[in-house]
Amino acid sequence: MNVLEPLAARYAYWLGLPAEEAALPEASPEEVRAMPVILHLEKSTPPQRTPLLEAAATAALAVCLDERAQPGGEWYEPVREWVSGHIRKVSRRARGIHWQVAQEFPGVRVAVGGAEVRALVPGRVVDVPKEIARLQISGSDLPPDEPPPAQPDLPLLLLNPEVSMTVGKAAAQVGHGTMILASLLEPAELAAWGERGYACAVRTPSVSQWKQLHPGDDPAGAWRSRRVVAVRDAGFTEVEPGTVTVLAQYR
C-alpha cells in the first residue's frame, strides 16, 4: 500500500480498478489543500527551463513516496488527505534568503542540472506559513531552452505543444504527471524508479508526435500498449478545464 492509491483509483478507472468518486466535490475555501512547489529563481543566474521542470516533477513525487509519507509516518495524514482530493499545486518563486528560509519547512529538495526545486508537504491553503505565502506566484517564467534528446530509459513527460504555460504552471502539471504515472506502476517498477531518485525527462514534442502518443478515446489501450497516461487540467488557472497539458510515459 502507498499513499498514491487514491490517484490510481480515480484516474485509471478504465483499467478496471475500484474507482473513487469520478467528480470530487469542490472543497470549501477553508478546506482547499495544495502542495507548495518552490522554484529557485535567482535574478542574476536563472536556471534553464527544462532542468527546472524536471526537478519539479521529481520533487512532487518524492514527497509522496518519502518514507515519512507512508502509513505511520509523520507526513502520511496530510499527504493522504491531499491526494484523496484535487491534487492542486501552487508554484512560487524564491531567491536569496527567501530560498534559504524555504528549506526550513518539511519537504524534499531536488536539483537537476543546476536547477533547484523544493516541494513542500501539502496542507490547507489557509494554513500556509507566512514565509511561504509571501513568495510570489506570478512572474514565474523562463525562456524556452533546447535540451538534448531525452535518455530512453527515463520516464518521459511531454508538454502539450499547442498550449502555452508559464514555467510555474508547467511545473505543477509535470508534478501531476509523475504522481499519476507512479500510482499505476507495479511495485517492482516503482522501486526501480525510486533507485534512480525518481529522475525523469521533460520535453516538448512536435504536434505530430503529441497526436501519435495521445491516448485519445482509448486510455486503457494507450496505457497497456504505450504506457502513457494523460494529465487533464481542472482549469483553475491559465488553461481551459479538461485541457490535456501533459502526457506521461513510463519507459
Side-chain angles (χ1 to χ4, degrees), residues 218-232:
D218 186 19
W223 176 251
R224 293 190 175 105
S225 65
R226 305 192 296 278
R227 309 301 298 279
V228 172
V229 65
V231 177
R232 292 185 181 275

Side-chain angles (χ1 to χ4, degrees), residues 47-69:
Q48 290 190 309
R49 182 183 177 98
T50 295
L52 189 73
L53 294 179
E54 292 174 344
T58 294
L61 179 59
V63 168
C64 298
L65 296 180
D66 189 282
E67 62 181 14
R68 290 165 289 186

Side-chain angles (χ1 to χ4, degrees), residues 2-12 14-15 17 54 57-58 60-62 64-65 83 87 89 151-158 172-194 198-202 213 215 219-220 222-232 246-251:
N2 72 58
V3 77
L4 295 177
E5 284 185 353
L7 284 187
R10 190 158 72 250
Y11 287 95
W14 30 264
L15 290 177
L17 298 174
E54 292 174 344
T58 294
L61 179 59
C64 298
L65 296 180
V83 169
I87 53 170
K89 299 181 179 72
Q151 294 184 42
D153 59 343
L154 284 181
L156 179 64
L157 301 161
L158 297 178
Q173 298 303 299
V174 294
H176 296 345
T178 50
M179 288 175 59
I180 296 170
L181 193 62
S183 76
L184 301 179
L185 297 180
E186 297 295 330
E189 293 173 323
L190 193 56
W193 194 6
Y198 306 112
C200 60
V202 175
L213 201 61
W223 176 251
R224 293 190 175 105
S225 65
R226 305 192 296 278
R227 309 301 298 279
V228 172
V229 65
V231 177
R232 292 185 181 275
V246 170
L247 298 179
Q249 183 180 36
Y250 185 75
R251 307 185 296 172

Side-chain angles (χ1 to χ4, degrees), residues 88-136:
R88 290 190 178 97
K89 299 181 179 72
V90 177
S91 298
R92 299 178 181 272
R93 56 190 174 99
R95 62 176 180 258
I97 188 63
H98 298 299
W99 170 252
Q100 298 304 320
V101 170
Q103 309 311 302
E104 299 173 5
F105 295 91
V108 175
R109 172 186 163 276
V110 172
V112 176
E116 294 180 298
V117 173
R118 186 173 184 84
L120 304 185
V121 174
R124 298 196 310 166
V125 173
V126 295
D127 295 331
V128 172
K130 64 180 185 299
E131 294 89 346
I132 302 302
R134 73 193 297 177
L135 301 177
Q136 292 189 5

Side-chain angles (χ1 to χ4, degrees), residues 22-79:
L24 293 169
E26 190 61 38
S28 60
E30 63 273 13
E31 291 300 325
V32 171
R33 297 174 183 274
M35 169 185 278
V37 179
I38 315 301
L39 313 177
H40 188 193
L41 294 174
E42 294 290 342
K43 183 179 294 186
S44 59
T45 56
Q48 290 190 309
R49 182 183 177 98
T50 295
L52 189 73
L53 294 179
E54 292 174 344
T58 294
L61 179 59
V63 168
C64 298
L65 296 180
D66 189 282
E67 62 181 14
R68 290 165 289 186
Q70 304 316 304
E74 60 192 285
W75 296 355
Y76 178 71
E77 288 302 328
V79 173

